[in-house]
Amino acid sequence: RREAFLTLSVATVLLPQELYAVTTDDRYSPLYLLEPLYELKLAVDALAKIDSFDPKKWPRMQRRLDKFFSASSGDGNTMSERDVYVRIGKECVEGRSDAESKIRALEESFGKLQLLRDALGTVLANSNKATEEDAKTASQAIQRLTGEARDALTTWFDFVPDEDISLLDQLVQDVNNADGDRDGKLSESELRRLPENERALWVSRVSKFGRSKVEKSLGFKIGHKNF
């Protein structure tokens, strides 16, 4: 059985200072906290690139969004993935002067994804009687909502310095490359393929959230235009 993606732990993970992101008001936000949200950002970016005018992609989009907003019944965890990301986001910006606006941006992104899920549900339920004009209107709404979800999540990340975004981006790429069997986890031998600093960061991320990557949890193909 594949492990649930986000299994929250109360353990405190201490990292060398170089593995921390420096925020604009001189507070540190651990990169191991930012990493799952960055993977999510890449996934939402990929979602926004999907051809919304191709109805064949709509059922799969809806199923994956259903999973994102549904509470898990496994491992005694009743939080949805959306709830967990909100919790991580709040922890990342705790103590910042703009924390409230950052939380609003995160909530806005997830609100757009919720509207997208609802819109997909409606159009799919009525697909047998939809006209060509109905399909076009639905496609435009899907395109708009995915773009707005992406933009709001990008706004949340604007407090993270470019150099730390680069570190996160490189980590995601290296973890994907190290994942030789494509099971969404890194075995001990796969972990050794990472540079030492990335290995320490990934171990800390795993200690907090579990072994699976966001890609395997949401089903979005990070770095690809289509599912």
PDB file of all heavy atoms in Angstrom, residues 82-102:
ATOM      1  N   ARG A  82      -6.094  19.850   0.760  1.00  0.00           N
ATOM      2  CA  ARG A  82      -6.238  21.307   0.790  1.00  0.00           C
ATOM      3  C   ARG A  82      -6.011  21.844   2.205  1.00  0.00           C
ATOM      4  O   ARG A  82      -5.295  22.825   2.409  1.00  0.00           O
ATOM      5  CB  ARG A  82      -7.626  21.684   0.291  1.00  0.00           C
ATOM      6  CG  ARG A  82      -7.938  23.179   0.375  1.00  0.00           C
ATOM      7  CD  ARG A  82      -9.130  23.394   1.313  1.00  0.00           C
ATOM      8  NE  ARG A  82      -9.388  24.815   1.461  1.00  0.00           N
ATOM      9  CZ  ARG A  82      -9.405  25.435   2.621  1.00  0.00           C
ATOM     10  NH1 ARG A  82      -9.156  24.798   3.744  1.00  0.00           N
ATOM     11  NH2 ARG A  82      -9.678  26.720   2.678  1.00  0.00           N
ATOM     12  N   ASP A  83      -6.586  21.192   3.212  1.00  0.00           N
ATOM     13  CA  ASP A  83      -6.430  21.629   4.598  1.00  0.00           C
ATOM     14  C   ASP A  83      -4.973  21.564   5.041  1.00  0.00           C
ATOM     15  O   ASP A  83      -4.483  22.443   5.751  1.00  0.00           O
ATOM     16  CB  ASP A  83      -7.275  20.760   5.533  1.00  0.00           C
ATOM     17  CG  ASP A  83      -8.766  20.912   5.289  1.00  0.00           C
ATOM     18  OD1 ASP A  83      -9.176  21.974   4.775  1.00  0.00           O
ATOM     19  OD2 ASP A  83      -9.517  19.967   5.606  1.00  0.00           O
ATOM     20  N   VAL A  84      -4.282  20.518   4.604  1.00  0.00           N
ATOM     21  CA  VAL A  84      -2.893  20.350   4.992  1.00  0.00           C
ATOM     22  C   VAL A  84      -2.027  21.447   4.377  1.00  0.00           C
ATOM     23  O   VAL A  84      -1.154  22.015   5.037  1.00  0.00           O
ATOM     24  CB  VAL A  84      -2.377  18.954   4.586  1.00  0.00           C
ATOM     25  CG1 VAL A  84      -0.880  18.841   4.852  1.00  0.00           C
ATOM     26  CG2 VAL A  84      -3.120  17.871   5.350  1.00  0.00           C
ATOM     27  N   TYR A  85      -2.286  21.781   3.121  1.00  0.00           N
ATOM     28  CA  TYR A  85      -1.512  22.841   2.479  1.00  0.00           C
ATOM     29  C   TYR A  85      -1.754  24.194   3.144  1.00  0.00           C
ATOM     30  O   TYR A  85      -0.830  25.003   3.271  1.00  0.00           O
ATOM     31  CB  TYR A  85      -1.839  22.924   0.992  1.00  0.00           C
ATOM     32  CG  TYR A  85      -1.177  21.851   0.177  1.00  0.00           C
ATOM     33  CD1 TYR A  85      -1.926  20.902  -0.506  1.00  0.00           C
ATOM     34  CD2 TYR A  85       0.210  21.777   0.093  1.00  0.00           C
ATOM     35  CE1 TYR A  85      -1.311  19.911  -1.257  1.00  0.00           C
ATOM     36  CE2 TYR A  85       0.836  20.791  -0.644  1.00  0.00           C
ATOM     37  CZ  TYR A  85       0.057  19.860  -1.320  1.00  0.00           C
ATOM     38  OH  TYR A  85       0.680  18.881  -2.048  1.00  0.00           O
ATOM     39  N   VAL A  86      -2.983  24.447   3.552  1.00  0.00           N
ATOM     40  CA  VAL A  86      -3.270  25.697   4.270  1.00  0.00           C
ATOM     41  C   VAL A  86      -2.477  25.733   5.569  1.00  0.00           C
ATOM     42  O   VAL A  86      -1.889  26.755   5.937  1.00  0.00           O
ATOM     43  CB  VAL A  86      -4.779  25.843   4.553  1.00  0.00           C
ATOM     44  CG1 VAL A  86      -5.043  26.997   5.514  1.00  0.00           C
ATOM     45  CG2 VAL A  86      -5.545  26.079   3.255  1.00  0.00           C
ATOM     46  N   ARG A  87      -2.430  24.606   6.246  1.00  0.00           N
ATOM     47  CA  ARG A  87      -1.688  24.532   7.514  1.00  0.00           C
ATOM     48  C   ARG A  87      -0.195  24.789   7.282  1.00  0.00           C
ATOM     49  O   ARG A  87       0.444  25.523   8.041  1.00  0.00           O
ATOM     50  CB  ARG A  87      -1.906  23.149   8.127  1.00  0.00           C
ATOM     51  CG  ARG A  87      -1.224  22.936   9.460  1.00  0.00           C
ATOM     52  CD  ARG A  87      -1.701  21.632  10.077  1.00  0.00           C
ATOM     53  NE  ARG A  87      -0.940  21.289  11.259  1.00  0.00           N
ATOM     54  CZ  ARG A  87      -1.201  20.241  12.024  1.00  0.00           C
ATOM     55  NH1 ARG A  87      -2.209  19.449  11.720  1.00  0.00           N
ATOM     56  NH2 ARG A  87      -0.465  19.979  13.081  1.00  0.00           N
ATOM     57  N   ILE A  88       0.355  24.197   6.228  1.00  0.00           N
ATOM     58  CA  ILE A  88       1.773  24.418   5.908  1.00  0.00           C
ATOM     59  C   ILE A  88       2.000  25.887   5.559  1.00  0.00           C
ATOM     60  O   ILE A  88       2.970  26.515   6.008  1.00  0.00           O
ATOM     61  CB  ILE A  88       2.221  23.529   4.738  1.00  0.00           C
ATOM     62  CG1 ILE A  88       2.124  22.049   5.117  1.00  0.00           C
ATOM     63  CG2 ILE A  88       3.658  23.857   4.335  1.00  0.00           C
ATOM     64  CD1 ILE A  88       2.339  21.116   3.948  1.00  0.00           C
ATOM     65  N   GLY A  89       1.113  26.441   4.732  1.00  0.00           N
ATOM     66  CA  GLY A  89       1.251  27.835   4.323  1.00  0.00           C
ATOM     67  C   GLY A  89       1.239  28.787   5.502  1.00  0.00           C
ATOM     68  O   GLY A  89       2.031  29.738   5.553  1.00  0.00           O
ATOM     69  N   LYS A  90       0.367  28.530   6.450  1.00  0.00           N
ATOM     70  CA  LYS A  90       0.299  29.381   7.647  1.00  0.00           C
ATOM     71  C   LYS A  90       1.586  29.272   8.458  1.00  0.00           C
ATOM     72  O   LYS A  90       2.086  30.270   8.986  1.00  0.00           O
ATOM     73  CB  LYS A  90      -0.907  28.981   8.505  1.00  0.00           C
ATOM     74  CG  LYS A  90      -2.245  29.390   7.922  1.00  0.00           C
ATOM     75  CD  LYS A  90      -3.404  28.957   8.815  1.00  0.00           C
ATOM     76  CE  LYS A  90      -4.736  29.419   8.244  1.00  0.00           C
ATOM     77  NZ  LYS A  90      -5.876  28.994   9.092  1.00  0.00           N
ATOM     78  N   GLU A  91       2.114  28.075   8.551  1.00  0.00           N
ATOM     79  CA  GLU A  91       3.353  27.883   9.308  1.00  0.00           C
ATOM     80  C   GLU A  91       4.520  28.608   8.638  1.00  0.00           C
ATOM     81  O   GLU A  91       5.387  29.176   9.311  1.00  0.00           O
ATOM     82  CB  GLU A  91       3.656  26.388   9.429  1.00  0.00           C
ATOM     83  CG  GLU A  91       4.787  26.076  10.390  1.00  0.00           C
ATOM     84  CD  GLU A  91       4.920  24.585  10.679  1.00  0.00           C
ATOM     85  OE1 GLU A  91       4.017  23.813  10.292  1.00  0.00           O
ATOM     86  OE2 GLU A  91       5.938  24.202  11.292  1.00  0.00           O
ATOM     87  N   CYS A  92       4.521  28.618   7.297  1.00  0.00           N
ATOM     88  CA  CYS A  92       5.606  29.272   6.560  1.00  0.00           C
ATOM     89  C   CYS A  92       5.632  30.782   6.773  1.00  0.00           C
ATOM     90  O   CYS A  92       6.705  31.397   6.773  1.00  0.00           O
ATOM     91  CB  CYS A  92       5.468  28.997   5.069  1.00  0.00           C
ATOM     92  SG  CYS A  92       5.936  27.330   4.562  1.00  0.00           S
ATOM     93  N   VAL A  93       4.466  31.398   6.924  1.00  0.00           N
ATOM     94  CA  VAL A  93       4.413  32.864   7.014  1.00  0.00           C
ATOM     95  C   VAL A  93       4.140  33.356   8.422  1.00  0.00           C
ATOM     96  O   VAL A  93       3.968  34.553   8.640  1.00  0.00           O
ATOM     97  CB  VAL A  93       3.344  33.432   6.044  1.00  0.00           C
ATOM     98  CG1 VAL A  93       3.677  33.065   4.617  1.00  0.00           C
ATOM     99  CG2 VAL A  93       1.942  32.959   6.413  1.00  0.00           C
ATOM    100  N   GLU A  94       4.121  32.457   9.385  1.00  0.00           N
ATOM    101  CA  GLU A  94       3.838  32.843  10.769  1.00  0.00           C
ATOM    102  C   GLU A  94       4.837  33.906  11.245  1.00  0.00           C
ATOM    103  O   GLU A  94       6.046  33.776  11.066  1.00  0.00           O
ATOM    104  CB  GLU A  94       3.932  31.619  11.682  1.00  0.00           C
ATOM    105  CG  GLU A  94       3.555  31.902  13.126  1.00  0.00           C
ATOM    106  CD  GLU A  94       3.633  30.657  13.985  1.00  0.00           C
ATOM    107  OE1 GLU A  94       4.011  29.592  13.456  1.00  0.00           O
ATOM    108  OE2 GLU A  94       3.312  30.745  15.175  1.00  0.00           O
ATOM    109  N   GLY A  95       4.325  34.986  11.807  1.00  0.00           N
ATOM    110  CA  GLY A  95       5.173  36.048  12.336  1.00  0.00           C
ATOM    111  C   GLY A  95       5.521  37.132  11.342  1.00  0.00           C
ATOM    112  O   GLY A  95       6.089  38.159  11.721  1.00  0.00           O
ATOM    113  N   ARG A  96       5.168  36.928  10.074  1.00  0.00           N
ATOM    114  CA  ARG A  96       5.432  37.954   9.066  1.00  0.00           C
ATOM    115  C   ARG A  96       4.371  39.050   9.136  1.00  0.00           C
ATOM    116  O   ARG A  96       3.220  38.790   9.465  1.00  0.00           O
ATOM    117  CB  ARG A  96       5.437  37.348   7.659  1.00  0.00           C
ATOM    118  CG  ARG A  96       6.636  36.474   7.356  1.00  0.00           C
ATOM    119  CD  ARG A  96       6.520  35.914   5.934  1.00  0.00           C
ATOM    120  NE  ARG A  96       6.324  36.977   4.952  1.00  0.00           N
ATOM    121  CZ  ARG A  96       7.315  37.682   4.404  1.00  0.00           C
ATOM    122  NH1 ARG A  96       8.570  37.421   4.732  1.00  0.00           N
ATOM    123  NH2 ARG A  96       7.065  38.618   3.532  1.00  0.00           N
ATOM    124  N   SER A  97       4.756  40.274   8.783  1.00  0.00           N
ATOM    125  CA  SER A  97       3.807  41.381   8.813  1.00  0.00           C
ATOM    126  C   SER A  97       2.717  41.231   7.758  1.00  0.00           C
ATOM    127  O   SER A  97       1.618  41.768   7.907  1.00  0.00           O
ATOM    128  CB  SER A  97       4.541  42.716   8.611  1.00  0.00           C
ATOM    129  OG  SER A  97       5.245  42.710   7.378  1.00  0.00           O
ATOM    130  N   ASP A  98       3.027  40.486   6.683  1.00  0.00           N
ATOM    131  CA  ASP A  98       2.045  40.302   5.614  1.00  0.00           C
ATOM    132  C   ASP A  98       1.410  38.916   5.643  1.00  0.00           C
ATOM    133  O   ASP A  98       0.877  38.452   4.635  1.00  0.00           O
ATOM    134  CB  ASP A  98       2.691  40.548   4.256  1.00  0.00           C
ATOM    135  CG  ASP A  98       3.842  39.576   3.981  1.00  0.00           C
ATOM    136  OD1 ASP A  98       4.223  38.821   4.907  1.00  0.00           O
ATOM    137  OD2 ASP A  98       4.366  39.578   2.845  1.00  0.00           O
ATOM    138  N   ALA A  99       1.452  38.257   6.802  1.00  0.00           N
ATOM    139  CA  ALA A  99       0.953  36.886   6.905  1.00  0.00           C
ATOM    140  C   ALA A  99      -0.507  36.779   6.481  1.00  0.00           C
ATOM    141  O   ALA A  99      -0.902  35.842   5.780  1.00  0.00           O
ATOM    142  CB  ALA A  99       1.125  36.362   8.332  1.00  0.00           C
ATOM    143  N   GLU A 100      -1.312  37.760   6.885  1.00  0.00           N
ATOM    144  CA  GLU A 100      -2.737  37.711   6.559  1.00  0.00           C
ATOM    145  C   GLU A 100      -2.971  37.719   5.054  1.00  0.00           C
ATOM    146  O   GLU A 100      -3.778  36.953   4.522  1.00  0.00           O
ATOM    147  CB  GLU A 100      -3.467  38.896   7.197  1.00  0.00           C
ATOM    148  CG  GLU A 100      -4.540  38.463   8.184  1.00  0.00           C
ATOM    149  CD  GLU A 100      -5.257  39.653   8.809  1.00  0.00           C
ATOM    150  OE1 GLU A 100      -6.135  40.238   8.148  1.00  0.00           O
ATOM    151  OE2 GLU A 100      -4.915  39.985   9.951  1.00  0.00           O
ATOM    152  N   SER A 101      -2.260  38.592   4.349  1.00  0.00           N
ATOM    153  CA  SER A 101      -2.454  38.683   2.900  1.00  0.00           C
ATOM    154  C   SER A 101      -1.947  37.420   2.205  1.00  0.00           C
ATOM    155  O   SER A 101      -2.503  36.997   1.185  1.00  0.00           O
ATOM    156  CB  SER A 101      -1.754  39.920   2.337  1.00  0.00           C
ATOM    157  OG  SER A 101      -0.343  39.811   2.455  1.00  0.00           O
ATOM    158  N   LYS A 102      -0.899  36.823   2.768  1.00  0.00           N
ATOM    159  CA  LYS A 102      -0.381  35.587   2.185  1.00  0.00           C
ATOM    160  C   LYS A 102      -1.387  34.441   2.342  1.00  0.00           C
ATOM    161  O   LYS A 102      -1.606  33.654   1.426  1.00  0.00           O
ATOM    162  CB  LYS A 102       0.943  35.202   2.854  1.00  0.00           C
ATOM    163  CG  LYS A 102       2.090  36.122   2.495  1.00  0.00           C
ATOM    164  CD  LYS A 102       2.328  36.122   1.017  1.00  0.00           C
ATOM    165  CE  LYS A 102       3.326  37.162   0.586  1.00  0.00           C
ATOM    166  NZ  LYS A 102       3.329  37.338  -0.880  1.00  0.00           N
TER     167      LYS A 102
END
